[in-house]
Amino acid sequence: MPKSFYITTPIYYVNDVPHIGHAYTTIAADVLARYRRLAGDEVFFLTGLDEHGQKVQQAAAKAGIDPQTHCDRLAPQFQDLWKRLNISNDDFVRTTQPRHTRVVQRAMQALFDKGEIYQASYTGWYCTFDERFWTEKDLENGLCPDCKRPVEQLSETNYFFRMSRYQDWLIQHIQQHQDFILPRSRRNEVLGFLQKPLEDLSISRPKARLSWGIELPFDSNYVTYVWFDALVNYISVPGYLSDDTRFRKWWPATVHLVGKDILTTHAVYWSTMLKALGLPLPNTIFAHGWWTVEGEKMSKSRGNVVDPNVLVQEFGVDAFRYFALREVPFGQDGDFSRQALIGRLNTDLANDLGNLLSRTLTMIVRYAGGVIPEPTTRAAHELDVQLEQTAVQATAAVGSFLGKLEFNRALEAIWTLVQLGNQYIDKTAPWTLAKRAEDKPRLNTVLYNIAEALRFLSVNLFAFMPQTAEEIKRQLGFMVTFSKPVLGGEFTWGGLMPGTEIAKGSSLFPRIDTTTKRQGDTGVTDTQQPSPVPQPASAASSEPTTASDTAQQITIEEFRKMRLRTAKVLTAERVPKSEKLIKVRVSLGAEELQIVAGIGKKYEPEALIGKTVVVVANLKSAKLMGVESQGMVLAAGDKEVLGLVTILEEVEPGTKVK
Ligand code: ME8
């Protein structure tokens, strides 16, 4: 029997367009939903909109339209964004839908009939922004303790939910269910909150003050408090009080994903409501952290609200999905910056993953006629065993990390395989194997293994980056149906079918050019090319040093003009129609250079990727066979290149060489 996995996001207020905060929770939920489907669970993934209440009424009034029209205009913005982000939600609730309002009214009536709701007059401090009353002692310097805005004193007759009677029970429930509120630190916060006496909760608003809400079934002068309406979406949609069989299948929810801002409403209001209704509590409420933008709180007034649509357009959907979950451990606060996103895209996605695929495809075309070759021996080599084991372990690790909502660690586990794949290529050196006919069987095995590692990667990446997973699959031509529970059944190493034709396509992640102006950091003010370019003796000639070398002595100042740096080779490809020239893109840490080097007779481009070389980084750009070269890669040899200059130890790219 497949397990039922019911996951929800908050339903977002339609007072404004969606931003990266909303996208964050929704992407996280999507990854879990996709992964659980792949693992064979039956999944119900619900998201939607919170359309009632003061915030929405105010936004509509500001726009000069009635609230329903306002909601109808904004709802497609959320739905379109979810499509663009490849969100695989199974339903989309809007709290103005009759399927929801009906259930809210029935639930309210049931609570009223049970005596869980009573009417009373109340005087308190009201925060319009948070739509809630505070007691005198709650206030902080006379301001709302939550949003720090001014509050006003109001006296009202309202309906109250007897929340206070559930305080002890709730404390006990939280203590007895370790995973009910996660992460642990948030659980402790809720327990801390519950140390203070819990008051009854006002769950109505007089229509005279707020008309935009669901009318109380037992008093038409009132509408339902927006939270008492919104939270019910989690049960109204899967069939509470309307379809028992369906409801029994999905409730209790497996995970409610929320931001830390709305943990109390979920952990306290929602739990006690469910208890009063006689319903079981969800397994887990997970409160994730808060995103700032370039170090600042995101707000309309600051004008720094980030539109996910723009990011998708600029960087692609999967780069954004990857960044959102890779950058910060889920649960902790994080900061969004374009630079950080570009960094992730260029390194993890373009250099590591993109390169692995393109190198593999290039070699399959070149050395195996564009067809996945038949491996001759299985696990013949220590390197093969290591690759297979890492693929299998990474797959298991992804499952176990996602079980704990540790998205970033799941991605790290996947990247151990990406990196090992690249190392496997470097170490097995297929370009060398291709030179000797007797190495052909080994070459085939190696190429097969890399392609198989990529099949594993594609399956593991699917939940995070569905489009990328599909593209890897398409280019390598293997058969996997991601809508089937691939990981639920047999998913083993060696499943890749030899003989399939590959379809090398465009690169997965085009690099974002971050090339900066190349001056200044050495204090070099003279931008003129030092002339003649002094070459260190070791790189100048294969001849021993002669008297004529020493004749061309240079001063230390002249030498210092040269900007010598370590550089990591990111990409390498042959310059068309040239036997000798290879175009490399190298990273100097903060900047990148494109260099055309005459090393093509000695090296295959694939062998260079990932290597640390030494470059002259302030050489005036020149064009070689029409291709711009912005520096020089140092190599030993004169007419003939004998070997590239490398560094004995591991050093960061961009380190000064002197
Ligand atoms: O609270 N960083 O809706 P809402 C991370 N309608 N996540 C963020 C974020 C940020 N800067 N900003 C928003 C509501 N979020 C209610 C919910 S549920 C029954 C009713 C995300 O539009 C995060 O998930 O204010 C947060 O909890 C949610 O959006 C708040 O959305």
Side-chain angles (χ1 to χ4, degrees):
M1 264 279 284
K3 275 199 298 179
S4 299
F5 184 86
Y6 174 24
I7 182 161
T8 66
T9 72
I11 49 173
Y12 307 109
Y13 284 127
V14 273
N15 54 342
D16 213 337
V17 292
H19 57 63
I20 52 165
H22 305 121
Y24 181 52
T25 323
T26 313
I27 291 171
D30 185 59
V31 171
L32 294 177
R34 283 175 182 274
Y35 188 81
R36 294 315 321 164
R37 287 188 199 107
L38 218 52
D41 289 359
E42 273 195 86
V43 171
F44 185 54
F45 169 18
L46 176 63
T47 187
L49 297 175
D50 190 352
E51 301 196 336
H52 289 126
Q54 193 127 353
K55 279 186 190 155
V56 176
Q57 182 172 292
Q58 277 171 349
K62 214 171 147 196
I65 48 178
D66 71 277
Q68 188 64 62
T69 311
H70 167 84
C71 294
D72 293 347
R73 273 189 201 167
L74 272 182
Q77 302 242 21
F78 284 84
Q79 285 164 308
D80 290 349
L81 175 62
W82 299 156
K83 266 201 212 106
R84 200 159 294 144
L85 289 174
N86 282 325
I87 303 300
S88 64
N89 53 305
D90 297 293
D91 204 333
F92 186 86
V93 63
R94 296 179 54 186
T95 51
T96 49
Q97 291 165 337
R99 63 168 176 166
H100 171 74
T101 56
R102 241 185 342 248
V103 178
V104 170
Q105 289 187 322
R106 283 183 200 154
M108 292 300 263
Q109 188 68 51
L111 291 177
F112 187 71
D113 294 345
K114 277 185 174 181
E116 297 281 353
I117 289 175
Y118 64 94
Q119 195 179 31
S121 176
Y122 176 81
T123 302
W125 293 95
Y126 189 73
C127 170
T128 316
F129 184 80
D130 287 331
E131 294 170 56
R132 60 165 295 180
F133 277 98
W134 298 100
T135 61
E136 182 85 42
K137 66 174 176 0
D138 288 330
L139 301 183
E140 281 174 16
N141 304 321
L143 300 173
C144 167
D146 213 30
C147 70
K148 320 285 183 240
R149 288 180 170 80
V151 288
E152 56 181 324
Q153 198 170 36
L154 275 185
S155 221
E156 255 178 29
T157 300
N158 264 314
Y159 286 90
F160 288 82
F161 165 51
R162 295 188 192 282
M163 190 160 74
S164 59
R165 60 158 69 149
Y166 296 109
Q167 178 160 16
D168 293 341
W169 161 81
L170 182 56
I171 293 173
Q172 210 176 29
H173 182 88
I174 296 171
Q175 281 168 344
Q176 284 170 357
H177 298 82
Q178 293 286 317
D179 291 338
F180 177 50
I181 298 169
L182 290 175
R184 287 280 122 84
S185 55
R186 299 276 169 228
R187 175 173 177 266
N188 295 338
E189 271 174 32
V190 175
L191 285 171
F193 175 86
L194 287 169
Q195 296 280 302
K196 284 195 288 182
L198 194 60
E199 308 209 350
D200 288 348
L201 184 69
S202 160
I203 50 93
S204 64
R205 296 291 179 266
K207 277 189 185 169
R209 180 154 68 76
L210 174 72
S211 59
W212 185 234
I214 301 174
E215 191 176 283
L216 287 188
F218 42 83
D219 191 337
S220 61
N221 291 318
Y222 291 87
V223 295
T224 310
Y225 169 46
V226 69
W227 275 102
F228 239 64
D229 156 356
L231 288 161
V232 173
N233 91 89
Y234 300 139
I235 52 175
S236 66
V237 178
Y240 181 57
L241 300 179
S242 68
D243 182 343
D244 272 359
T245 320
R246 214 166 97 77
F247 186 60
R248 244 177 284 123
K249 175 174 172 139
W250 296 117
W251 193 259
T254 321
V255 194
H256 287 322
L257 273 194
V258 297
K260 66 178 184 181
D261 55 324
I262 54 173
L263 176 59
T264 312
T265 45
H266 281 78
V268 181
Y269 298 3
W270 183 225
S271 302
T272 52
M273 279 166 79
L274 286 167
K275 176 70 180 165
L277 288 167
L279 292 175
L281 267 50
N283 297 352
T284 296
I285 300 170
F286 193 106
H288 65 67
W290 209 243
W291 282 89
T292 49
V293 172
E294 314 271 354
E296 294 212 34
K297 214 178 145 189
M298 194 169 26
S299 77
K300 236 183 159 176
S301 52
R302 280 197 176 88
N304 65 347
V305 178
V306 181
D307 178 357
N309 292 291
V310 174
L311 295 179
V312 170
Q313 201 172 13
E314 205 175 342
F315 303 112
V317 54
D318 281 352
F320 175 49
R321 286 178 65 113
Y322 176 78
F323 173 79
L325 295 175
R326 176 66 185 79
E327 190 68 3
V328 179
F330 204 60
Q332 292 179 24
D333 294 343
D335 186 50
F336 173 86
S337 78
R338 286 173 60 86
Q339 211 184 352
L341 195 160
I342 293 171
R344 287 278 173 206
L345 200 168
N346 281 350
T347 41
D348 303 3
L349 299 180
N351 295 351
D352 295 350
L353 179 61
N355 258 340
L356 178 62
L357 179 69
S358 82
R359 295 169 88 183
T360 305
L361 292 165
T362 305
M363 291 189 294
I364 292 175
V365 169
R366 196 170 297 159
Y367 308 134
V371 170
I372 305 281
E374 183 93 45
T376 35
T377 40
R378 169 107 189 253
H381 204 285
E382 203 183 311
L383 291 171
D384 303 2
V385 175
Q386 191 192 14
L387 189 67
E388 173 176 340
Q389 279 178 354
T390 306
V392 172
Q393 282 160 5
T395 307
V398 170
S400 100
F401 286 131
L402 285 186
K404 297 180 274 181
L405 283 82
E406 295 185 35
F407 298 95
N408 67 323
R409 297 187 69 188
L411 285 168
E412 273 165 24
I414 298 176
W415 253 254
T416 56
L417 181 58
V418 173
Q419 273 145 7
L420 191 75
N422 277 316
Q423 285 164 20
Y424 181 83
I425 298 178
D426 296 341
K427 289 185 185 157
T428 53
W431 45 90
T432 311
L433 297 172
K435 285 183 184 149
R436 292 173 7 143
E438 61 264 45
D439 285 336
K440 183 78 177 154
R442 176 72 191 138
L443 176 65
N444 284 347
T445 304
V446 164
L447 294 179
Y448 177 88
N449 283 343
I450 313 165
E452 178 62 334
L454 275 157
R455 187 178 70 106
F456 266 69
L457 284 171
S458 141
V459 169
N460 280 302
L461 285 169
F462 174 73
F464 294 92
M465 300 195 277
Q467 197 171 294
T468 303
E470 291 282 0
E471 190 55 20
I472 296 176
K473 167 186 149 177
R474 196 189 65 75
Q475 296 200 18
L476 274 171
F478 56 76
M479 312 286 282
V480 168
T481 313
F482 290 116
S483 55
K484 296 252 171 73
V486 181
L487 290 170
E490 274 282 282
F491 181 68
T492 47
W493 184 266
L496 178 67
M497 289 284 288
T500 24
E501 219 172 292
I502 62 154
K504 185 166 171 17
S506 50
S507 70
L508 285 181
F509 298 97
R511 303 178 53 75
I512 306 292
D513 196 353
T514 52
T515 312
T516 47
K517 279 211 163 60
R518 294 175 292 114
Q519 344 177 319
D521 67 341
T522 48
V524 176
T525 45
D526 178 3
T527 50
Q528 283 218 321
Q529 181 187 336
S531 181
V533 178
Q535 295 203 345
S538 62
S541 165
S542 54
E543 302 291 316
T545 309
T546 61
S548 64
D549 280 341
T550 47
Q552 300 176 5
Q553 278 184 343
I554 56 164
T555 64
I556 188 75
E557 283 71 32
E558 278 174 305
F559 175 71
R560 281 200 190 120
K561 283 186 182 171
M562 228 190 346
R563 194 169 164 239
L564 287 177
R565 292 288 181 274
T566 60
K568 189 166 175 177
V569 180
L570 303 173
T571 60
E573 59 191 80
R574 287 187 178 279
V575 171
K577 299 201 198 84
S578 167
E579 221 190 318
K580 228 176 93 183
L581 297 183
I582 290 184
K583 179 175 87 176
V584 292
R585 189 149 194 97
V586 295
S587 165
L588 273 65
E591 81 188 278
E592 288 174 14
L593 298 176
Q594 172 175 298
I595 300 179
V596 178
I599 51 177
K601 283 194 183 158
K602 176 75 184 169
Y603 294 100
E604 286 299 328
E606 292 81 18
L608 300 171
I609 295 169
K611 293 273 184 309
T612 298
V613 293
V614 178
V615 300
V616 183
N618 60 339
L619 199 60
K620 222 177 211 165
S621 349
K623 280 210 168 152
L624 294 167
M625 287 190 71
V627 184
E628 188 184 0
S629 180
Q630 305 167 319
M632 179 193 277
V633 179
L634 295 188
D638 191 4
K639 286 188 183 64
E640 192 190 330
V641 169
L642 300 176
L644 280 172
V645 175
T646 54
I647 298 287
L648 264 186
E649 312 295 333
E650 286 262 315
V651 295
E652 288 290 307
T655 306
K656 188 169 184 171
V657 177
K658 50 181 199 171

